[in-house]
């Protein structure tokens, strides 16, 4: 186990008190992972991973759950952010969260048999159980005279990822929204099991195209931490450049998508052109429009020549004023402002309690950003300003992205000017091939904290869990929508702009 | 291959279904509507209902949970219809194809008439393939 991780072993009774103590001491929850250890110690392992801003190390609060029918009192009353993690652990491992306020199925398909837990080691990766009644997923709805239910999806009207929304409405107002996601669950984590760590990249980067660099960087960090692998300064800077390019094109995408949700087509089209320009630039300089195959453990896959650096700087210098102009166009448009202001409010306390991350948290005064709170790579040298807004509405989420885009432009220019000389990658340290143990990689993806938990046995993956920013943030949407007009849903949804693929895996 | 487009050389109405993609293929299909590619100038448009579509594009390996939704959507497209699978996942060529949840491509769920390879295929490649249906 590397020095970066500290494991605190607890029994189930002590867990609540310890978590309460950690939350009281400003620790923040990163991820919750269950693993099947029945072969070595007759039970399951539950790790709640925490970090404390300003400290590089992570703490794993570990509970051993013995036997084949593990149960543990739900942590949700104390730490609501784990409500989906616990439901997922129930679906995939059969770990029952006692007293969970909403124990419905979350991840598995509707026609999946009950009590078949696909991430247990005795269930084959390619099992195709016949259709079964499974657990009936019924939406939580509002009831009463005049309440109308509107089911939407999984197939949507536009080119949108698949997911289901169950609205309860009264007239034009939404009373309640329930989500059924995980239509795109592909079993990525189980697919990774058994692979050597050096072969994991092509799978991990396909978790989500829009957050691909972030996923690759989290995988790389987990391995580098586990085997104590120091990456060269140029590699660290180039990796930071990739992460910031990813943030920038995603923010531009979102800045374009928000006016689309308000039927302001001209502004939206202007934004899509800028996104295309970023994607082309990435394709040209990094070899892939969505940055697949750019980051691997030990460094990065491709260097930038001096000419590339000039080209990237010049292009970014040209794109920057265009993004700023688009921002001005939106903020000065009375019709757009009328739609965006006061719409889809997420209160700071809800954001904090539910563990919101990324721009959606920062737009509700929750100034969490792993680039500052737990800096890695070049963020040690160049900590970016953390942007916050306080109203928590569509406009605030737009403003955060506009301001963060400006910060990223400046950061990228600094990184490109100060790019250290030297190699872009190094060889793995001795023994890495056969490495054994746990590593946790996390970074601030465009949508917030992206956390990868990796466990190796003799160099091969035993357990992998991805807790993406979208997994953390989807439940917030259900909090921000009620009380608004149903017609404002696309706008509110786009202001969160969450990935389904990242969440569903 | 069913080619409704032979009858409708100047108009191709496309309905898209994401059957478990990583969103890369969606992002490139969506790019067809930006002013750079502007597929509408060729008479190609993305429509909101399968009932309005000539062509159904599908991305992703067709997950267990999306299988039925894809079949229902396809059945709602009027005949003659053309099914186009977009991206390597849709051809069953992705690392997770065959897992307990992922499915193994569009074939086997729906007969597809055309496949556009790539991970993801570029917007130009998608546009070219769709225009090919109109020739
Ligand atoms: S083919 Fe590639 S880009 Fe398309 S959905 Fe699959 S992994 Fe994503």
């Amino acid at each position: 186990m590397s020095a970066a991780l500290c494991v605190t072993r607890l029994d189930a009774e002590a867990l609540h008190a310890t978590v309460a103590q950690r939350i009281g001491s400003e620790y923040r929850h990163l991820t919750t992972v269950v693993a099947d250890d029945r072969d070595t110690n007759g039970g399951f392992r539950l790790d709640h991973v925490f970090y404390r801003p300003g400290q590089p190390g992570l703490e794993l609060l570990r509970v051993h759950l013995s036997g084949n029918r593990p149960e543990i009192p739900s942590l949700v009353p104390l730490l609501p952010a784990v409500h989906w993690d616990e439901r997922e652990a129930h679906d995939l491992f059969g770990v029952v969260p006692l007293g969970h306020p909403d124990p419905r199925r979350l991840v598995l398909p509707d026609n999946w048999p009950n009590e078949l837990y696909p991430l247990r080691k005795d269930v084959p990766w390619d099992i195709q159980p016949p259709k079964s009644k499974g657990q009936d997923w019924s939406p939580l709805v509002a009831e009463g005279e005049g309440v109308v239910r509107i089911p939407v999806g999984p197939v949507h009207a536009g080119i949108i990822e698949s997911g289901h929304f169950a609205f309860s409405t009264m007239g034009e107002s939404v009373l309640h929204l329930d989500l059924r996601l995980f239509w795109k669950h592909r079993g990525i984590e189980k697919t990774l099991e058994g692979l050597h760590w050096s072969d994991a990249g092509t799978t991990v980067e396909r978790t989500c195209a829009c957050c691909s660099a972030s996923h690759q960087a989290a995988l790389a960090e987990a391995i580098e931490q586990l085997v104590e692998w120091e990456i060269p300064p140029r590699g660290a800077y180039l990796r930071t450049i990739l992460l910031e390019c990813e943030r920038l094109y995603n923010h531009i995408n979102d800045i374009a998508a928000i006016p689309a949700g308000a039927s302001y087509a001209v502004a939206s089209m202007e934004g899509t052109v800028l996104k295309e320009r970023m994607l082309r630039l990435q394709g040209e300089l990094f070899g892939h429009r969505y940055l697949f195959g750019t980051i691997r453990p030990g460094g990065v896959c491709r260097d930038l020549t001096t000419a590339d650096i000039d080209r990237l700087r010049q292009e970014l210098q040209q794109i920057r004023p265009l993004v700023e102009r688009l921002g001005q166009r939106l903020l000065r448009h009375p019709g757009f402002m009328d739609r965006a202001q006061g719409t889809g409010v997420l209160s700071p306390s809800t954001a904090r309690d539910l563990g919101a991350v990324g721009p959606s948290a920062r737009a509700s005064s929750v100034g969490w950003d792993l680039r500052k709170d737990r800096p890695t790579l070049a963020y040690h040298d160049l900590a970016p300003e953390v942007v916050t807004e306080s109203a928590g509405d569509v406009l605030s989420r737009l403003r955060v992205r506009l301001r963060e885009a400006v910060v990223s432009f400046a950061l990228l220019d600094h990184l490109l000017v100060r790019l250290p000389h030297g190699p872009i990658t190094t060889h793995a340290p001795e023994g890495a091939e056969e490495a054994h143990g746990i590593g946790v990689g996390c970074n601030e993806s465009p949508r917030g904290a992206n956390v990868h938990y990796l466990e190796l046995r003799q160099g091969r993956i035993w357990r992998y869990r991805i807790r993406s920013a979208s997994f953390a943030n989807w439940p917030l949407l259900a909090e921000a929508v009620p009380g608004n007009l149903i017609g404002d849903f696309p706008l509110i949804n786009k202001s969160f702009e969450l990935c389904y693929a990242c969440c569903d895996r | 291959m069913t080619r409704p487009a032979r009858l409708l050389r100047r108009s191709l109405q496309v309905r898209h279904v994401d059957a478990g993609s990583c969103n890369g293929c969606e992002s490139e299909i969506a790019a067809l509507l930006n002013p750079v590619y502007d597929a509408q100038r060729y008479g190609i448009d993305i429509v909101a209902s399968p009932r309005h579509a000539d062509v159904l594009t599908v991305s992703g390996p067709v997950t267990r949970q999306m299988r039925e939704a894809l079949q229902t959507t396809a059945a709602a497209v009027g005949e003659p219809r053309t099914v186009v699978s977009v991206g390597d996942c849709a051809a069953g060529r992705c690392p997770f194809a065959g897992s307990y949840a992922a499915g193994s491509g569009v074939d086997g769920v729906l007969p597809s008439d055309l496949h556009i390879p790539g991970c993801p295929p570029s917007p130009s490649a998608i546009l070219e393939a769709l225009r090919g249906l109109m020739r």
Side-chain angles (χ1 to χ4, degrees):
Chain A
M1 182 83 45
S2 90
L5 301 184
C6 153
V7 178
T8 307
R9 285 169 213 277
L10 300 161
D11 42 34
E13 294 76 61
L15 179 65
H16 281 240
T18 312
V19 168
Q21 191 277 331
R22 295 297 186 274
I23 296 170
S25 327
E26 300 290 315
Y27 280 71
R28 292 179 200 154
H29 174 255
L30 273 180
T31 186
T32 292
V33 182
V34 168
D36 183 351
D37 285 346
R38 285 175 299 165
D39 63 328
T40 49
N41 64 14
F44 293 83
R45 167 179 14 119
L46 171 64
D47 275 341
H48 291 290
V49 184
F50 285 83
Y51 80 106
R52 199 175 183 195
Q55 292 185 4
L58 305 176
E59 186 181 30
L60 277 60
L61 299 182
R62 176 167 298 173
V63 179
H64 173 74
L65 305 165
S66 55
N68 276 321
R69 300 188 151 270
E71 294 177 342
I72 184 157
S74 168
L75 258 190
V76 171
L78 185 61
L79 186 63
V82 301
H83 62 149
W84 276 20
D85 302 77
E86 290 189 346
R87 285 170 71 184
E88 176 175 319
H90 188 185
D91 280 15
L92 301 182
F93 287 93
V95 173
V96 180
L98 297 171
H100 192 292
D102 178 13
R104 289 174 301 164
R105 182 172 279 188
L106 182 74
V107 176
L108 291 175
D110 294 337
N111 63 22
W112 187 269
N114 286 329
E115 302 197 15
L116 176 63
Y117 305 114
L119 261 76
R120 288 191 175 194
K121 291 289 179 183
D122 48 4
V123 176
W125 166 77
D126 56 355
I127 191 169
Q128 307 290 336
K131 277 192 197 176
S132 121
K133 174 95 178 37
Q135 199 195 52
D136 202 16
W137 185 88
S138 43
L140 296 176
V141 292
E143 279 174 1
E145 207 182 300
V147 176
V148 175
R149 280 179 51 192
I150 307 177
V152 177
V155 179
H156 298 294
I159 308 166
I160 304 171
E161 295 183 83
S162 295
H164 179 81
F165 304 111
F167 297 93
S168 304
T169 62
M170 175 78 90
E172 290 290 307
S173 294
V174 179
L175 298 177
H176 187 264
L177 167 61
D178 195 12
L179 313 171
R180 173 69 166 122
L181 299 178
F182 298 92
W183 295 79
K184 299 167 57 137
H185 179 58
R186 288 155 285 166
I188 289 180
E189 294 172 0
K190 184 126 180 157
T191 300
L192 286 163
E193 290 177 9
L195 288 185
H196 190 264
W197 60 257
S198 55
D199 296 326
T202 45
T203 304
V204 168
E205 71 196 4
R206 282 167 177 74
T207 303
C208 169
C210 304
C211 309
S212 182
S214 165
H215 286 302
Q216 294 170 62
L219 164 69
E221 188 199 343
I223 290 163
E224 288 153 4
Q225 176 193 83
L226 170 56
V227 304
E228 300 189 1
W229 188 351
E230 192 78 39
I231 69 170
R234 190 176 178 87
Y237 267 64
L238 286 168
R239 202 182 277 179
T240 316
I241 289 168
L242 287 160
L243 290 171
E244 288 304 319
C245 281
E246 183 165 87
R247 183 178 334 281
L248 201 47
Y249 93 76
N250 272 282
H251 277 19
I252 292 171
N253 173 74
D254 302 352
I255 292 164
I258 293 171
S263 306
Y264 185 7
V266 175
S268 177
M269 286 295 143
E270 204 174 304
T272 60
V273 172
L274 298 175
K275 176 192 176 188
E276 176 65 21
R277 203 158 156 184
M278 285 295 296
L279 293 177
R280 286 187 178 188
L281 192 59
Q282 291 177 173
E284 178 191 326
L285 298 176
F286 302 115
H288 194 279
R289 282 160 61 92
Y290 297 90
L291 306 174
F292 289 7
T294 52
I295 298 172
R296 288 295 181 264
V300 293
C301 302
R302 193 163 157 158
D303 205 353
L304 292 178
T305 64
T306 318
D308 292 340
I309 293 168
D310 289 344
R311 167 111 175 88
L312 189 50
R313 285 190 67 209
Q314 272 169 15
E315 269 288 293
L316 291 173
Q317 275 160 14
Q318 284 177 21
I319 297 171
R320 178 181 171 157
L322 300 176
V323 173
E324 286 172 328
R325 191 183 71 184
L326 172 58
Q328 297 290 320
R329 189 196 273 290
L330 291 170
L331 300 178
R332 286 194 191 134
H333 190 290
F336 173 77
M337 290 296 282
D338 184 49
R339 294 286 307 276
Q341 213 158 11
T343 306
V345 174
L346 178 70
S347 75
S349 61
T350 308
R352 195 174 286 271
D353 290 347
L354 286 181
V357 295
S360 305
R362 296 191 283 273
S364 296
S365 308
V366 181
W368 297 347
D369 189 327
L370 285 173
R371 295 179 292 171
K372 174 171 151 286
D373 300 334
R374 187 181 168 274
T376 55
L377 306 171
Y379 297 121
H380 279 301
D381 308 342
L382 293 161
E385 175 205 349
V386 176
V387 169
T388 57
E389 293 277 337
S390 57
D393 55 2
V394 169
L395 182 60
S396 298
R397 287 184 286 277
L398 171 67
R399 277 208 165 111
V400 165
R401 290 197 182 83
L402 284 167
R403 291 172 57 199
E404 286 187 359
V406 173
V407 172
S408 286
F409 276 116
L411 192 58
L412 276 166
D413 203 59
H414 278 297
L415 290 162
L416 288 164
V417 171
R418 297 190 200 173
L419 189 61
H421 292 286
I424 59 167
T425 185
T426 48
H427 289 296
E430 198 137 341
E433 284 290 301
E434 296 285 307
H436 203 85
I438 293 170
V440 180
C442 57
N443 58 58
E444 188 73 19
S445 77
R447 292 168 181 79
N450 181 12
V451 189
H452 288 216
Y453 176 109
L454 159 94
E455 181 182 15
L456 299 179
R457 287 191 182 179
Q458 273 78 44
R460 295 195 174 270
I461 293 173
W462 177 257
R463 173 76 173 112
Y464 203 94
R465 183 167 192 248
I466 300 169
R467 192 185 200 268
S468 66
S470 293
F471 182 92
N473 279 353
W474 267 112
L476 304 171
L477 181 68
E479 298 295 321
V481 168
N484 290 270
L485 302 177
I486 181 103
D488 277 335
F489 175 73
L491 178 61
I492 301 169
N493 192 18
K494 284 178 192 305
S495 74
F496 284 93
E497 193 66 10
L498 301 169
C499 311
Y500 301 63
C502 256
C503 174
D504 298 357
R505 294 155 286 145
Chain B
M1 190 190 331
T2 343
R3 293 177 83 169
R6 282 192 180 285
L7 308 172
L8 301 160
R9 282 169 188 267
R10 292 174 191 215
S11 156
L12 194 72
Q13 309 292 302
V14 180
R15 170 69 247 176
H16 179 69
V17 176
D18 160 15
S21 84
C22 76
N23 203 20
C25 286
E26 270 62 39
S27 184
E28 297 300 53
I29 297 171
L32 297 184
L33 297 180
N34 74 29
V36 179
Y37 298 99
D38 190 14
Q40 284 160 329
R41 75 193 138 135
Y42 301 114
I44 298 171
D45 206 358
I46 310 284
V47 291
S49 166
R51 305 298 287 159
H52 301 161
D54 308 306
V55 172
L56 186 72
T57 56
V58 186
S59 63
V62 193
T63 57
R64 183 174 172 119
Q65 177 77 339
M66 275 307 292
R67 197 181 166 106
E68 201 182 314
L70 173 62
Q71 286 167 329
T72 314
T73 309
V77 180
E79 294 281 1
R81 63 161 191 249
T82 306
V83 175
V84 179
S85 60
V86 182
D88 292 347
C89 281
R93 284 192 306 272
C94 55
F96 22 85
S99 87
Y100 66 90
S104 29
V106 175
D107 286 327
V109 180
L110 274 186
S112 77
D113 302 294
L114 178 68
H115 173 63
I116 309 175
C119 182
S122 66
S124 332
I126 302 170
L127 192 53
E128 260 320 292
L130 293 178
R131 288 188 68 204
L133 292 175
M134 303 169 80
R135 283 186 200 115

